C-alpha cells in the first residue's frame, strides 16, 4: 500500500503495514496518522501516532496503547498489560516456560481489522506457536480482556493420546464470551494456513472450545488484571499431560482462587485500580 502524498513528510522506515488517516479539527491544521510497523528484526510491532503540523513538521510519538479499546478509566491498557506479563514470564525458569508461548496482547485485536490482518498472520507464523503445548492468546475486544489458551496443538488434531482443545477464560461471563467463537475459529484456521499446515475448516470446527467457570471480577475494570492472574496461575499448575477427561483440570473452578489472593497479586505487581 502506498503512502498518501503529504507535503514535507520525511521518509518512513520499518513501517510498511498500513495506516489510518484521521483529520484533526480544521483550525488546528494537523493530521494524525496511526500505523503498525516492524522493529529492526522484523518480528515485533508498534503503534505509532504521528502528527504533522501545517508547517510540515513531523512529530512521532510511539506507544503501545490501543486508544479505541483502553479508554475505560481504571482498566489496564496494552502497555501496562505487556509490562506486567513480561515480569510474570521472567519469574518462571526456562524449563517451565519451555511448554508455553504467547502472542502479543494486541495481535488478536489487530487481526480483526482487515487493514492489519495479513501482517499479523505473518508475525504469528514466525513464532511457530504450534510447537508448544500451551499458547496464551490475550484478547482485548469490546473494551474487555479475555484469555484464550490453545492446548495440545503440538500434537496432531486427531491424536488419541491427548485432547486438543481451546480454553476461553472470562472474568465477566455475563458478557457472553461464546460470541467470540466464530472469530476464534476463523483466526485459528488462518494461522494454520499462514504456517502452511494442512487443515480443513471441518477439522477446526470439531476442536472443543471450553469456557471454564472461573472466578469473576467484582467491578468493570479488573478484566486485564484477572487475565494476568489466570496466566500466572495456569503456568504454575498446568499439567504436563493436559486432558479434559472427567472435566477440566482440577485447578480451573469457580473457587480457583480467593479474592484476597487476587488482591495480593495486584499489589505485588502494582496493578491496583
Amino acid at each position: 500500500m502506498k503512502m498518501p502524498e503529504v507535503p514535507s513528510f520525511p521518509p518512513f522506515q520499518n513501517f510498511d503495514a498500513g495506516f489510518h488517516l484521521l483529520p484533526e479539527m480544521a483550525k488546528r491544521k494537523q493530521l494524525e496518522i496511526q500505523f503498525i510497523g516492524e522493529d529492526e528484526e522484523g518480528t515485533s510491532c508498534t503503534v505509532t501516532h504521528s502528527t504533522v503540523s501545517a508547517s510540515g513538521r513531523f512529530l512521532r510519538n510511539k506507544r503501545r496503547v490501543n486508544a479505541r479499546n483502553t479508554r475505560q478509566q481504571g482498566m489496564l491498557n496494552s502497555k501496562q498489560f505487556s509490562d506486567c506479563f513480561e515480569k510474570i514470564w521472567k519469574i518462571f525458569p526456562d524449563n517451565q516456560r519451555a511448554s508455553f508461548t504467547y502472542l502479543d496482547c494486541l495481535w488478536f485485536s489487530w487481526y480483526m481489522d482487515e487493514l492489519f490482518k495479513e501482517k499479523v498472520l505473518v508475525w504469528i507464523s514466525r513464532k511457530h506457536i504450534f510447537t508448544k503445548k500451551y499458547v496464551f492468546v490475550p484478547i482485548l475486544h469490546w473494551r474487555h480482556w479475555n484469555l484464550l489458551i490453545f492446548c495440545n496443538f503440538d500434537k496432531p488434531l486427531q491424536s488419541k493420546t491427548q485432547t486438543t482443545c481451546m480454553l476461553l477464560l472470562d472474568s465477566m461471563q455475563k458478557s457472553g464470551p461464546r460470541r467470540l467463537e466464530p472469530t476464534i475459529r476463523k483466526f485459528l484456521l488462518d494461522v494454520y494456513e499462514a504456517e502452511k499446515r494442512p487443515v480443513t475448516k471441518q477439522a477446526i470446527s470439531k476442536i472443543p472450545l471450553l469456557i471454564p467457570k472461573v472466578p469473576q471480577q467484582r467491578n468493570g475494570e479488573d478484566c486485564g488484571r484477572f487475565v494476568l492472574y489466570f496466566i500466572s496461575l495456569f503456568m504454575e499448575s498446568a499439567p504436563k499431560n493436559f486432558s479434559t477427561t472427567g472435566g477440566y483440570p482440577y485447578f480451573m473452578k469457580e473457587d480457583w482462587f480467593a479474592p484476597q489472593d487476587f488482591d495480593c497479586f495486584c499489589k505485588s505487581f502494582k496493578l491496583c485500580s
Side-chain angles (χ1 to χ4, degrees):
M1 184 181 297
K2 293 183 179 180
M3 298 293 296
E5 294 182 3
V6 181
S8 304
F9 266 53
F12 291 95
Q13 295 181 348
N14 296 329
F15 291 88
D16 61 350
F19 46 85
H20 293 302
L21 296 181
L22 305 173
E24 295 289 320
M25 295 177 63
K27 64 180 181 179
R28 296 178 64 184
K29 296 182 179 180
Q30 292 180 333
L31 184 70
E32 184 175 280
I33 298 174
Q34 181 183 28
F35 54 96
I36 298 177
E38 297 180 345
D39 63 10
E40 290 78 2
E41 297 179 354
T43 55
S44 300
C45 48
T46 4
V47 176
T48 301
H49 295 267
S50 305
T51 301
V52 182
S53 67
S55 64
R57 186 183 179 191
F58 187 78
L59 306 174
R60 180 173 292 181
N61 175 30
K62 289 187 177 181
R63 57 180 179 171
R64 292 186 51 80
V65 179
N66 185 326
R68 292 176 299 172
N69 291 324
T70 56
R71 290 298 187 190
Q72 186 170 339
Q73 187 176 5
M75 179 179 168
L76 292 187
N77 62 41
S78 57
K79 183 180 186 305
Q80 293 169 322
F81 185 99
S82 295
D83 289 347
C84 184
F85 176 83
E86 289 177 7
K87 293 176 183 177
I88 293 171
W89 185 256
K90 291 176 181 178
I91 289 174
F92 295 91
D94 291 344
N95 63 334
Q96 194 165 353
R97 292 199 306 249
S99 297
F100 298 87
T101 191
Y102 59 89
L103 300 187
D104 183 283
C105 69
L106 288 180
W107 282 3
F108 192 92
S109 297
W110 289 339
Y111 162 82
M112 291 191 290
D113 189 328
E114 286 295 327
L115 190 61
F116 307 135
K117 179 178 179 178
E118 183 177 346
K119 196 65 176 178
V120 170
L121 289 170
V122 170
W123 289 326
I124 295 174
S125 68
R126 291 172 181 167
K127 288 182 68 71
H128 304 291
I129 61 175
F130 297 135
T131 62
K132 301 294 185 178
K133 181 175 291 293
Y134 302 112
V135 184
F136 294 127
V137 184
I139 296 177
L140 176 56
H141 192 45
W142 296 307
R143 299 190 180 188
H144 180 61
W145 289 94
N146 293 277
L147 177 62
L148 176 65
I149 308 176
F150 295 146
C151 303
N152 290 334
F153 278 80
D154 58 329
K155 303 295 182 182
L157 295 182
Q158 298 80 15
S159 174
K160 296 181 179 180
T161 59
Q162 295 188 12
T163 304
T164 299
C165 69
M166 300 178 285
L167 302 175
L168 183 59
L169 279 57
D170 190 343
S171 60
M172 189 180 285
Q173 292 196 356
K174 65 181 181 181
S175 66
R178 185 64 68 176
R179 60 183 172 167
L180 284 168
E181 183 171 358
T183 305
I184 289 172
R185 293 193 184 279
K186 182 63 169 64
F187 171 74
L188 183 58
L189 178 62
D190 286 344
V191 172
Y192 264 93
E193 292 179 348
E195 291 198 5
K196 296 179 171 54
R197 287 173 172 257
V199 71
T200 64
K201 186 175 181 180
Q202 183 180 14
I204 295 295
S205 68
K206 292 181 179 180
I207 299 172
L209 175 63
L210 309 174
I211 304 179
K213 292 184 178 181
V214 294
Q216 300 291 282
Q217 63 193 75
R218 295 163 288 177
N219 56 40
E221 304 170 354
D222 280 339
C223 50
R225 298 172 180 86
F226 267 77
V227 166
L228 288 166
Y229 197 35
F230 291 157
I231 290 172
S232 178
L233 293 181
F234 192 91
M235 290 188 72
E236 285 182 7
S237 307
K240 292 182 178 179
N241 297 310
F242 184 91
S243 175
T244 58
T245 303
Y248 299 115
Y250 66 92
F251 55 88
M252 269 190 281
K253 297 180 180 179
E254 289 182 273
D255 60 352
W256 187 3
F257 52 84
Q260 56 268 30
D261 296 328
F262 170 74
D263 293 339
C264 183
F265 167 82
C266 291
K267 290 178 181 178
S268 64
F269 286 95
K270 299 180 180 179
L271 294 174
C272 298
S273 55

